[in-house]
Amino acid sequence: MFWSKKNKEEHRYYLLPGMGRSNRRRHAQFVRWAVGVGIIASGLFGFFIWYMNQI
């Protein structure tokens, strides 16, 4: 029939470990935490440099 001639390999795909929905959500959460920690750390470091220049 007409529908059996399609290449089945063309539409096949695999999800590798780390490509699922829950892993993407967890990765996004890690990125948010990393940005937050980076902002806090850079603020503290900037305050330390400013404080050392005031002394």
Side-chain angles (χ1 to χ4, degrees):
M1 293 293 171
F2 293 112
W3 56 85
S4 65
K5 293 182 181 181
K6 291 183 182 177
N7 186 2
K8 292 181 182 180
E9 297 293 325
E10 182 179 329
H11 299 288
R12 182 181 291 181
Y13 68 95
Y14 296 100
L15 286 179
L16 298 173
M19 292 176 65
R21 184 179 303 151
S22 62
N23 286 324
R24 280 182 278 166
R25 190 174 20 203
R26 191 172 57 132
H27 177 72
Q29 185 180 17
F30 285 157
V31 169
R32 284 192 295 267
W33 274 102
V35 168
V37 169
I39 289 172
I40 291 171
S42 64
L44 288 173
F45 188 67
F47 176 75
F48 177 73
I49 291 174
W50 174 80
Y51 183 74
M52 294 307 278
N53 283 331
Q54 296 299 317
I55 297 177

